[in-house]
Every structure is written in structure tokens, then in C-alpha cells.
Amino acid sequence: MSAVGRSPKVGAVVITMGNRPDELRALLDSVAKQDGDPVEVVVVGNGSPVPDVPEGVRTIELPENLGIPGGRNVGIEAFGPGGRDVDILLFLDDDGLLARHDTAELCRKAFAADPELGIISFRIADPETGQTQRRHVPRLRASDPMRSSRVTTFLGGANAVRSKVFADVGGLPDEFFYAHEETDLAWRALDAGWMIDYRSDMVLYHPATAPSRHAVYHRLVARNRVWLARRNLPAPLVPVYLGVWLLLTLARRPSRPALKAWFGGFREGWTAPCGPRRPMKWRTVWRLTRLGRPPVI
């Protein structure tokens, strides 16, 4: 928590491949317009040069693409070890746009009001239609995106994290590169006693897209799903969790190439190292269950 009598300091981490300079500038302008004390911003060029940014925005250019979690971890460390130089870190996609000027202030108030709150997941809305895709509501009962609630995971490119969470549980898993890194952090945070909120009034405009647009999507989703279970679940739940997701994947009837890539990733998840194993406590399993998403789905 921030010192008594001081407004919580807010920083923002944006990673970019350097290929969306206009969208990046619009995002940074929306951050600069936030009410309250200025938000300090770090833009990480993930294996690419950073386009021109406004004065005062710090930039880091990495010689290679470290993936989404790796790039964000570099951004976290730019605010001191574990981000400790600020109280709250925003993580924003470089083609997003904060829809309102009070988002940073809402984050300050939310964290100040709830000492157990560790992570806030924003609502993502299409800038043209205002609609929120079902997959962007981080809970099973996703039909009403306007309902705020406690949740068990969060959206990677539209969120706020209390920096003390990173001090408690570490950063995002570099090994994942892309997909499920948010859930890995969420499970570790919940296991440490933190809570996660989905807030429909904190909005990031972002064009509606399909995650499968990424060429390696199916392989990494499957591989990281196995890694997620191997790293975090009690041993009896690992085969249950992965068996459920195998059945769900088959029920969605992916194309033959997609299914081949998925099984290749699933196999890789068992054979490749995934980082340290720290199974969550059984009381965390019960907490996830009470929040509506037991860690078997």
C-alpha cells in the first residue's frame, strides 16, 4: 500500500512490436488524459524499435521478442524490483484505448477500499459497436459483460495489478511466451490470499479480434494449458483439468491442421520444462470453486 496521505502512484506498461504507431500514440494520449496524478508510462519494444512517443514516456528496446509475459516483466522491472517504485501497474495493449478519463482514479479508489484486492480486470469493448466479446469476460457466466464481480483470472492487456502482488508471488511466467500467462499469475495470487475483480466500468476500447489469428495459437494454447496444470495444480487435479480441456477442444471441432497443432503443443507441454512447480493449497481450490470456476475447467 502507498504511504498514508499520499495518492497511490500508478505506472503503466505497454509492449509493442512497433507495427502500430498510430494506435500506440492514441493509447498513450488516453493515458496522459487520466484524472489525478500523472501515470508514468514505460513502452517496451519487444524485439523491435519503439515508434515515436510523447515526451516523458520511457522506452526500452529489447534485442529479441521475449513474448508477452517476458516483455511485460521487463516493463515491471523498469519500475524497480517487482515494480515497487509504484503502488499500481496498468497493463495495456498497444492497440487499445482507455475509454474514460477516470480509470486510473477508479483503480486507486478500488485498491484503497479493499486491502485484499490484488488485480482488476477491465472490460474490453469494441470501439465501433461498444460490444464486449464473450471471451473477454473472465468468468464462466459471461452473458452479461456489464456485471462486475469477483473472478478467478483476468485479461492480460487490460488490467491493473497492485505491485505488492509481484513482491509476493513473482512476475508473469516468461516460459509461456503467449497464452495463459494471466491465469498462471492469477492462481498464484489467489493462493497467496489476493482477490481479483472484473470491473465493467473500467473500459479499454480494443478492436474485436479472434485469438486464432496468431499462427502459433493452437500449439501454445495447448502447451501452456499443460504447463499451467503442471506448475500450479495439486497432483490429483492435473489429469482431471487436462482431460476436461481435451474434451472441450474436441467438442469445438477445430480444423484438422488446428487439431494437429493442438496435439503437438499438448505433447510438448509434457516433455518441455515449464519452470518451478508450486501446487496451490486445497483451500485455494475451494476458493476458486466458491468463486464459480473450480480449477478443473
Side-chain angles (χ1 to χ4, degrees):
M1 292 293 293
S2 59
V4 175
R6 173 174 67 80
S7 177
K9 293 181 64 175
V10 181
V13 174
V14 181
I15 58 173
T16 183
M17 299 292 290
N19 56 350
R20 294 189 281 235
D22 294 339
E23 292 89 340
L24 175 62
R25 175 60 73 122
L27 168 67
L28 297 177
D29 288 345
S30 75
V31 174
K33 292 175 182 176
Q34 291 299 297
D35 299 336
D37 293 339
V39 177
E40 184 179 348
V41 182
V42 170
V43 177
V44 179
N46 216 353
S48 68
V50 175
D52 289 339
V53 297
E55 186 177 353
V57 173
R58 287 191 288 159
T59 62
I60 300 171
E61 295 184 353
L62 302 177
E64 62 178 311
N65 183 356
L66 299 182
I68 292 174
R72 287 183 178 143
N73 282 337
V74 169
I76 293 168
E77 295 301 307
F79 291 96
R84 69 184 182 190
D85 293 346
V86 294
D87 303 294
I88 301 163
L89 277 171
L90 310 181
F91 295 87
L92 307 170
D93 277 351
D94 68 341
D95 56 345
L97 181 75
L98 289 174
R100 296 167 43 159
H101 293 180
D102 63 349
T103 301
E105 278 290 274
L106 288 173
C107 288
R108 291 184 180 102
K109 292 176 181 177
F111 285 120
D114 186 353
E116 293 186 342
L117 181 62
I119 302 173
I120 300 172
S121 188
F122 301 167
R123 179 167 66 89
I124 293 179
D126 183 85
E128 299 295 328
T129 66
Q131 293 183 343
T132 297
Q133 292 179 280
R134 189 180 183 90
R135 69 184 183 88
H136 284 153
V137 182
R139 58 175 178 246
L140 291 179
R141 296 178 181 177
S143 59
D144 182 8
M146 301 307 294
R147 179 172 68 87
S148 299
S149 69
R150 292 284 203 204
V151 290
T152 61
T153 188
F154 63 99
L155 306 174
N159 68 80
V161 181
R162 194 192 296 266
S163 57
K164 194 173 185 303
V165 171
F166 298 120
D168 283 355
V169 305
L172 295 154
D174 288 334
E175 303 91 340
F176 282 41
F177 196 84
Y178 167 83
H180 303 320
E181 67 272 4
E182 303 92 351
T183 300
D184 186 90
L185 177 62
W187 283 0
R188 286 183 282 125
L190 288 162
D191 198 47
W194 296 104
M195 300 299 290
I196 306 170
D197 278 355
Y198 166 73
R199 288 283 297 264
S200 65
D201 58 336
M202 302 181 188
V203 181
L204 184 85
Y205 283 148
H206 188 282
T209 56
S212 55
R213 70 191 186 279
H214 299 292
V216 295
Y217 169 80
H218 297 285
R219 180 178 69 84
L220 294 186
V221 160
R223 183 197 69 181
N224 292 359
R225 184 78 69 184
V226 178
W227 283 0
L228 186 65
R230 287 176 57 196
R231 286 165 58 97
N232 295 288
L233 290 182
L237 294 185
V238 173
V240 180
Y241 177 81
L242 296 175
V244 167
W245 278 104
L246 172 60
L247 293 175
L248 285 173
T249 299
L250 295 174
R252 291 168 178 168
R253 303 179 68 180
S255 67
R256 185 178 295 272
L259 194 60
K260 181 179 179 181
W262 192 94
F263 274 109
F266 191 82
R267 186 166 51 251
E268 183 183 352
W270 288 107
T271 58
C274 61
R277 172 169 166 76
R278 298 188 180 96
M280 67 178 65
K281 296 177 281 290
W282 282 104
R283 67 170 176 262
T284 305
V285 173
W286 176 236
R287 171 185 277 194
L288 288 161
T289 302
R290 286 190 292 110
L291 288 170
R293 191 154 195 164
V296 294
I297 188 169

